[in-house]
């Protein structure tokens, strides 16, 4: 008879040790020990990483900053702005000077082109401005009261000329910040009388500074006066050099520009296929073109930074 089998004692498995945390600690300790043992090598490795990453950040930031500056400079010229100006010469076997615009052309654009926020015909001339024993050569521009809103100029002190003054021959003017600094310094020019060539003109206001445009033009180096006064007292003609047009918000400037071009071709009796003797410059298109150019520059700078980072990585590999 076989003896009865006794039950085996139940034993619980020993708890597993938490080796993961110990291994991580030993790894970090070994890493710190190697860094201290090879201090120069570790420093050069860190320097290569910092230089490579810093080069990428700096060059990409420079490219983005250039694009932002171009857009900012273009926006200073005016919102949704189109500049209509006469060409220098008409092409053909017998080149003749393109005749300037007249006030009727600006009126036709205002009445027959849809979606305009404002329109400001202007005529200008480079001439000396004299106050006391100081003089400064600047651009004197005759225009209408809509010039301020179309071109984005604000009045810093004094006032702008009214619509009645814009259609009269009264010689009043506003000066830009550059002209103010050159002729008046810290003195308030409002109420002073300056001489534009042989014409005495009362200063009724100063303009808010706009700074330099992207084309290098100082937008504060000007004197504004009513168009009729400029034509009668300074130029002696009814000619208009430029017509500044502001499209209404949401209205494509390209559509407004094509309508202006078609209207002026009809008014200037240009035959089909004949070249325009005027230009319609769309600031939005110019801004897009320049932004595209600066975008390509930013991409090139990013590629150069990437190459520098790659070279730095190879250098780190060699050091290690």
């Amino acid at each position: 008879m076989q003896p009865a089998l006794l039950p085996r004692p139940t034993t619980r498995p020993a708890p597993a040790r938490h080796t993961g945390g110990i291994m991580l600690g030993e790894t970090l300790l070994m890493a710190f020990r190697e860094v201290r043992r090879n201090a120069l090598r570790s420093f050069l490795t860190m320097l290569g990483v910092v230089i490579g990453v810093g080069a990428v950040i700096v060059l990409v930031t420079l490219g983005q900053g250039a694009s932002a500056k171009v857009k900012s400079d273009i926006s200073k010229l005016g919102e949704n702005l189109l500049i209509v100006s006469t060409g220098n010469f008409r092409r053909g076997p017998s080149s003749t000077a393109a005749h300037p615009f007249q006030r009727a052309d600006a009126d036709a654009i205002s009445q027959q082109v849809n979606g305009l926020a404002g329109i400001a015909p202007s005529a200008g001339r480079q001439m000396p401005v004299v106050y006391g024993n100081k003089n400064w050569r600047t651009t004197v521009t005759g225009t209408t009261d809509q010039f301020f809103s179309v071109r984005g100029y604000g009045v810093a002190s004094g006032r702008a000329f009214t619509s009645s003054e814009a259609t009269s021959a009264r010689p009043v003017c506003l000066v830009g910040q550059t002209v103010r600094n050159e002729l008046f310094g810290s003195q308030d020019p409002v109420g002073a009388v300056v001489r534009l060539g042989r014409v005495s003109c009362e200063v009724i206001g100063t303009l808010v500074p706009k700074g330099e445009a992207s084309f290098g033009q100082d937008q504060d180096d000007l004197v504004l006066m009513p168009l009729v006064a400029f034509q009668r007292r300074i130029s002696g003609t009814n000619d208009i050099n430029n017509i500044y047009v502001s499209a209404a918000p949401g209205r494509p400037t390209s559509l407004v520009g094509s309508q202006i071009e078609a209207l002026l071709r009809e008014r200037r009796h240009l035959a089909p296929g004949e070249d325009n003797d005027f230009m319609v410059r769309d600031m939005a298109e110019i801004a897009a073109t320049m932004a595209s150019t600066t975008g390509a520059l930013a991409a090139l700078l990013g590629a150069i930074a990437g190459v520098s980072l790659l070279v730095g990585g190879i250098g780190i590999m060699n050091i290690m």
Side-chain angles (χ1 to χ4, degrees):
M1 187 172 179
Q2 296 180 351
L5 298 176
L6 298 175
R8 296 181 179 179
T10 57
T11 58
R12 295 181 180 179
R17 298 180 178 178
H18 300 285
T19 58
I22 298 176
M23 291 182 61
L24 179 60
E26 292 179 351
T27 302
L28 292 176
L29 183 61
M30 182 178 63
F32 285 126
R33 187 183 300 118
E34 292 299 323
V35 168
R36 293 183 59 186
R37 182 179 300 172
N38 301 279
L40 180 59
R41 180 185 301 176
S42 303
F43 172 75
L44 293 176
T45 302
M46 180 184 67
L47 185 62
V49 173
V50 170
I51 291 176
V53 175
V56 173
I57 295 175
V58 169
L59 292 179
V60 171
T61 302
L62 285 176
Q64 294 176 347
S67 300
K69 187 177 187 306
V70 167
K71 294 179 181 179
S72 174
D73 290 344
I74 292 294
S75 66
K76 289 179 181 179
L77 297 175
E79 293 293 334
N80 302 325
L81 179 66
L82 296 101
I83 302 177
V84 186
S85 56
T86 56
N88 293 329
F89 295 94
R90 185 180 300 174
R91 299 175 184 175
S94 57
S95 298
T96 57
H99 57 277
F101 297 123
Q102 301 297 319
R103 184 62 182 265
D105 295 318
D107 294 338
I109 293 174
S110 177
Q111 296 168 5
Q112 301 182 37
V113 176
N114 298 323
L116 300 186
I119 179 170
S122 71
R125 176 178 294 182
Q126 283 276 340
M127 60 189 309
V129 180
V130 181
Y131 176 72
N133 60 353
K134 297 181 180 179
N135 67 86
W136 179 253
R137 190 170 185 83
T138 186
T139 301
V140 179
T141 300
T143 185
T144 64
D145 55 317
Q146 292 193 40
F147 181 89
F148 302 95
S149 60
V150 172
R151 289 296 310 276
Y153 278 95
V155 178
S157 63
R159 63 175 180 86
F161 45 80
T162 63
S163 56
S164 60
E165 289 174 334
T167 56
S168 68
R170 183 187 174 193
V172 294
C173 61
L174 293 92
V175 297
Q177 190 65 35
T178 300
V179 178
R180 173 181 178 173
N181 293 338
E182 294 294 335
L183 296 183
F184 299 95
S186 59
Q187 178 185 352
D188 185 7
V190 177
V193 176
V194 297
R195 194 169 72 252
L196 308 177
R198 298 181 179 180
V199 178
S200 296
C201 185
E202 178 188 355
V203 179
I204 61 173
T206 61
L207 299 173
V208 175
K210 293 189 69 174
E212 188 175 290
S214 57
F215 307 105
Q217 177 187 5
D218 184 0
Q219 298 185 92
D220 300 321
D221 190 5
L222 82 166
V223 174
L224 296 181
M225 66 184 305
L227 177 61
V228 176
F230 177 87
Q231 291 175 333
R232 292 183 183 178
R233 295 177 177 270
I234 295 180
S235 67
T237 67
N238 294 324
D239 296 343
I240 291 175
N241 305 124
N242 298 297
I243 302 175
Y244 298 101
V245 180
S246 177
R251 184 76 170 176
T253 54
S254 57
L255 177 59
V256 175
S258 62
Q259 292 178 352
I260 294 174
E261 181 178 356
L263 176 62
L264 290 180
R265 285 186 61 87
E266 179 182 351
R267 292 184 59 83
R268 296 169 82 84
H269 308 292
L270 297 178
E274 188 176 359
D275 292 337
N276 292 336
D277 60 352
F278 61 92
M279 296 178 291
V280 181
R281 289 176 288 176
D282 187 348
M283 293 296 103
E285 293 183 359
I286 295 176
T289 301
M290 297 185 69
S292 175
T293 303
T294 54
L297 176 62
L300 176 62
L301 292 176
I304 295 174
V307 171
S308 67
L309 186 60
L310 175 63
V311 172
I314 295 174
I316 292 171
M317 181 184 65
N318 290 334
I319 292 173
M320 297 300 293

